[in-house]
Amino acid sequence: MRPLTTHPYVVVIALDFSKAFDNVRHSTLRNKMADLDIPDHVYNWLVSYFSGHSHCTRYGGGVVGPPRNFGWIIQGSGIGPASYVVNSSDLAALAPGNFLCKYADDTYIIIQSDNVDSRSEELVSVETWAQANNLTLN
């Protein structure tokens, strides 16, 4: 088995985006999906899904939620996590040798020991990306 790294240590930074699935702009997601190499009919189906979908929560006899969905991904849906991954596809590490590991809204920056001084730069880059994509880091 080949080791992941030959560096003496790595720094791992776990990132938490506040209400990540709730704050994804559909327009941003559509633009990123348009860049994928998928058939037009699949893209059109996804646009239709996000355009005509609504979501509400029923609790204690009441209903909470807006009548239309303009800016969130339904997390429990089959395409929710994959859609969030597409939304975060342009988030990348800056320094060569650093890695971003992403699954759904969980993101980790892995910085090799020889790049430890790039921590602040990597975090500023993620914060800048988050602001451009309507997300907030906790």
Side-chain angles (χ1 to χ4, degrees):
M1 179 184 251
R2 186 174 152 243
L4 232 91
T5 181
T6 57
H7 298 274
Y9 66 90
V10 296
V11 173
V12 178
I13 302 171
L15 302 172
D16 179 45
F17 295 103
S18 178
K19 298 184 179 187
F21 280 79
D22 295 341
N23 293 310
V24 171
R25 287 188 200 105
H26 289 171
S27 59
T28 302
L29 180 59
R30 282 192 306 267
N31 290 340
K32 292 178 183 186
M33 286 181 172
D35 290 337
L36 297 175
D37 186 22
I38 57 176
D40 288 345
H41 67 278
V42 173
Y43 171 80
N44 292 335
W45 180 86
L46 290 165
V47 168
S48 175
Y49 175 81
F50 286 111
S51 298
H53 219 90
S54 63
H55 175 74
C56 67
T57 301
R58 294 180 187 268
Y59 179 76
V63 177
V64 178
R68 303 248 347 195
N69 175 359
F70 294 105
W72 67 80
I73 298 171
I74 300 171
Q75 189 168 1
S77 68
I79 64 172
S83 297
Y84 186 84
V85 169
V86 169
N87 189 66
S88 66
S89 63
D90 58 343
L91 175 59
L94 296 177
N98 291 350
F99 303 94
L100 258 70
C101 297
K102 301 175 277 186
Y103 176 73
D105 60 341
D106 296 325
T107 304
Y108 301 91
I109 304 171
I110 301 173
I111 301 172
Q112 297 180 7
S113 59
D114 58 347
N115 286 342
V116 74
D117 292 337
S118 68
R119 289 178 303 210
S120 294
E121 185 181 353
E122 293 288 0
L123 286 172
V124 167
S125 174
V126 170
E127 179 66 27
T128 301
W129 176 89
Q131 289 173 357
N133 285 275
N134 201 40
L135 297 173
T136 304
L137 275 174
N138 283 330

